[in-house]
Amino acid sequence: MTTVPQADLVIVANRLPVDRVTLPDGGVSWRRSPGGLVSALEPVMRANDGAWIGWPGSADEDEFDPFVEDGLSLVPVSMSSQEVEEFYEGFSNGTLWPLYHDVVAKPEFHREWWDSYVSVNERFAARAAEVAAEGATVWVQDYQLQLVPQMLRDRRPDLRIGFYLHIPFPPAELFSQLPWRRQILEGLLGADLIGFQLPGAAANFVRLVRSRVGHKTHRDTIYLPDGRPVRATAFPISIDTAGFEELARSEGVAKRAEDIRSALGNPKKIFLGVDRLDYTKGIYSRLRAFGELVRDGHIDVEDAVFVQVATPSRERVEQYRILRDEIERLVGRINGDEGRIGRPAISYMHSSYPREEMAALYRAADVMVVTPFRDGMNLVAKEYVACRYEDDGALVLSEFAGAAQELRQAWLVNPYDIDGMKAALLEAYAADDKETGRRMRAMRKTVVQHDVARWAADFLHELETLPEHHDKATRKPHAG
């Protein structure tokens, strides 16, 4: 095993920020993954001799040696196919994901999944302990690694440890279903700073720590008996706003946006949905609402089309296969009933696209429809706003997406209320330029001021300046 370089900043995430590509000659190369997290943390990592720990994405491989790709120090962690099934598809996405998303689907609780979750978290913690320099900052990312902070603190009490949860954190009534609720809470309390998307999620966590573990708390601070304070607070994540706007303004994207409109028959209005194919995203309900508007004569297929991009997701999981079949049947039924030759009501694509194509779709779309049943943030809504540099376009947004807390000028909807959603879609469809311009200007101001670089800088600054000790009288934690 190659000696691992010591790093002053260590990012620990489920995946590495690169995807493995097999070349025609059988060799291996790496391609940078798309996504705002990589863009936000790359300059910080370069400035701090940073390292990124994560899984390379393939199972049953021997542990890769650490390597450098495009100047980034990357440290792989291996996983067996059984661990991918039990830790990733099982506990992470069959237990935690639905539980944390308001039980939109029923979570499953299996002890062997939990055992795998513990062992994989231990492997990540051990790797981080090996890579981190003396007194380094370690920033652990997301729900797959909630035990890592305390496991890492046990090994390396000299470190500053931050944790960020990218998805919602549920209220006590839901979280308490989890048989391993105490272990998760105590795992997270290994961090000095725990970041959430919304203040309500942070408050849920603090309340649970007080009631389930018994630690003393005050507002967003938890006072541990060993004298260490833990802060739990909101840091709403964002996007590379300037990068998206620059892309949207580019000649190639402008031309592609025109081509998309032309390929769709130059309708008066294009509605757009862009989502990972997931039961939390509300795709079925939104398409049903649009189909009813067409059926009832409120929208004519000669005037408007709904483009839905559904990026493939977790295709080995049965629930996702069922969802895909349901959506494809619905699209077929609506197009069969309401479409005309060359004019489908819905243009549906089950595929993933590069950033340039997404920017062109955002530029082409007159009405962006983002209607999840529950979402930690939803960056698609912010990406659309960033690309509307002419202050035009309308955003219909679920009030249960974290982004609704910031993008208040969107047409906010309850995705469970089909009639309410239809009314909002019609309003956005019929809104004049003055109305859409007023709303879009305000939303653009928000995403420009609060971009992903500021998010990362704010979190790391808070982590570095937190007091290391408190002098509060504490109570003994609850037993069990």
Side-chain angles (χ1 to χ4, degrees):
M1 175 68 68
T2 304
T3 305
V4 179
Q6 298 288 285
D8 293 321
L9 173 67
V10 180
I11 305 299
V12 187
N14 180 57
R15 288 293 299 267
L16 286 174
V18 291
D19 296 320
R20 192 178 183 204
V21 180
T22 304
L23 302 173
D25 64 1
V28 171
S29 118
W30 299 90
R31 181 179 58 215
R32 191 168 125 168
S33 308
L37 186 64
V38 184
S39 306
L41 297 178
E42 182 184 359
V44 188
M45 284 180 64
R46 291 189 193 282
N48 291 278
D49 295 327
W52 189 303
I53 297 172
W55 177 51
S58 51
D60 294 324
E61 301 255 8
D62 292 333
E63 190 82 77
F64 285 110
D65 287 338
F67 63 99
V68 174
E69 178 66 29
D70 191 25
L72 298 179
S73 180
L74 305 177
V75 183
V77 173
S78 65
M79 254 187 260
S80 68
S81 53
Q82 183 176 351
E83 285 170 335
V84 172
E85 188 180 323
E86 293 178 350
F87 153 78
Y88 180 69
E89 293 170 357
F91 196 79
S92 295
N93 294 316
T95 303
L96 294 174
W97 180 268
L99 185 71
Y100 282 29
H101 285 86
D102 284 0
V103 194
V104 172
K106 188 171 172 53
E108 295 181 44
F109 304 110
H110 300 295
R111 287 170 291 181
E112 63 273 20
W113 287 4
W114 167 252
D115 292 342
S116 188
Y117 188 80
V118 172
S119 64
V120 172
N121 272 247
E122 281 175 340
R123 192 174 312 141
F124 274 85
R127 209 76 169 110
E130 187 185 354
V131 170
E134 183 71 26
T137 295
V138 178
W139 193 0
V140 185
Q141 306 288 329
D142 223 5
Y143 64 105
Q144 301 96 341
L145 302 174
Q146 291 174 104
L147 303 179
V148 167
Q150 187 57 50
M151 291 172 168
L152 181 56
R153 186 161 297 283
D154 290 341
R155 289 171 168 83
R156 293 286 305 275
D158 60 296
L159 300 175
R160 290 295 260 179
I161 302 171
F163 179 89
Y164 190 80
L165 185 68
H166 293 259
I167 68 174
F169 189 83
E173 297 78 18
L174 295 180
F175 186 82
S176 296
Q177 293 181 22
L178 187 62
W180 308 278
R181 59 202 181 190
R182 171 118 184 192
Q183 292 96 313
I184 294 286
L185 294 174
E186 290 180 336
L188 290 170
L189 287 172
D192 298 293
L193 178 63
I194 307 169
F196 298 88
Q197 299 280 20
L198 299 177
N204 287 344
F205 176 77
V206 173
R207 261 195 303 274
L208 273 157
V209 167
R210 189 168 58 243
S211 64
R212 289 280 165 202
V213 187
H215 290 317
K216 181 184 178 71
T217 69
H218 178 65
R219 294 185 180 160
D220 61 4
T221 303
I222 299 148
Y223 300 101
L224 300 188
D226 64 2
R228 187 170 62 84
V230 176
R231 185 150 187 249
T233 193
F235 293 88
I237 199 170
S238 195
I239 59 166
D240 175 14
T241 307
F244 268 99
E245 180 170 332
E246 184 183 346
L247 202 55
R249 287 178 179 273
S250 70
E251 198 176 314
V253 164
K255 174 71 168 64
R256 178 63 188 142
E258 284 178 20
D259 291 346
I260 289 169
R261 289 197 79 96
S262 176
L264 292 167
N266 286 312
K268 289 179 186 170
K269 292 286 171 81
I270 296 173
F271 291 77
L272 175 65
V274 174
D275 309 83
R276 211 165 39 75
L277 186 62
D278 190 283
Y279 49 76
T280 63
K281 301 297 184 184
I283 301 170
Y284 189 97
S285 298
R286 105 176 44 131
L287 296 180
R288 185 177 150 204
F290 183 79
E292 288 185 12
L293 288 172
V294 175
R295 181 197 68 197
D296 297 341
H298 297 295
I299 292 176
D300 192 309
V301 292
E302 295 295 333
D303 296 331
V305 64
F306 199 118
V307 176
Q308 176 63 55
V309 176
T311 305
S313 170
R314 300 171 192 160
E315 297 192 286
R316 288 170 42 170
V317 180
E318 181 66 16
Q319 280 173 317
Y320 289 79
R321 287 198 292 265
I322 292 169
L323 175 67
R324 178 181 176 182
D325 289 346
E326 286 176 347
I327 290 172
E328 290 179 355
R329 275 198 302 272
L330 176 68
V331 170
R333 188 163 69 245
I334 292 171
N335 283 338
D337 291 345
E338 311 303 338
R340 293 170 207 163
I341 292 175
R343 290 285 192 177
I346 297 168
S347 180
Y348 175 76
M349 291 165 288
H350 180 245
S351 186
S352 56
Y353 295 98
R355 227 164 78 120
E356 291 76 12
E357 183 73 358
M358 297 316 305
L361 282 164
Y362 295 145
R363 286 295 304 137
D366 303 285
V367 183
M368 185 82 212
V369 188
V370 181
T371 55
F373 294 125
R374 172 62 69 192
D375 226 334
M377 179 53 62
N378 194 294
L379 297 179
V380 162
K382 292 186 174 183
E383 290 171 3
Y384 178 73
V385 170
C387 288
R388 306 305 297 192
Y389 59 85
E390 292 179 336
D391 294 334
D392 57 356
L395 174 64
V396 176
L397 178 61
S398 165
E399 61 193 57
F400 302 127
Q405 302 277 326
E406 296 172 90
L407 305 179
R408 296 179 182 277
Q409 297 80 17
W411 274 268
L412 295 177
V413 297
N414 173 358
Y416 294 96
D417 175 8
I418 298 286
D419 288 338
M421 190 144 52
K422 286 163 67 176
L425 289 172
L426 265 186
E427 274 187 40
Y429 174 65
D432 60 26
D433 293 347
K434 185 178 176 185
E435 176 72 1
T436 55
R438 178 185 66 79
R439 290 172 181 253
M440 189 58 72
R441 269 191 300 278
M443 291 191 288
R444 282 183 52 74
K445 186 177 178 185
T446 298
V447 299
V448 167
Q449 288 177 346
H450 301 276
D451 69 356
V452 73
R454 179 170 168 180
W455 167 80
D458 286 352
F459 186 95
L460 290 169
H461 178 263
E462 182 73 24
L463 178 57
E464 279 154 27
T465 55
L466 278 173
E468 294 184 24
H469 302 285
H470 69 78
D471 55 6
K472 305 279 185 187
T474 58
R475 50 182 180 242
K476 198 173 177 185
H478 300 327

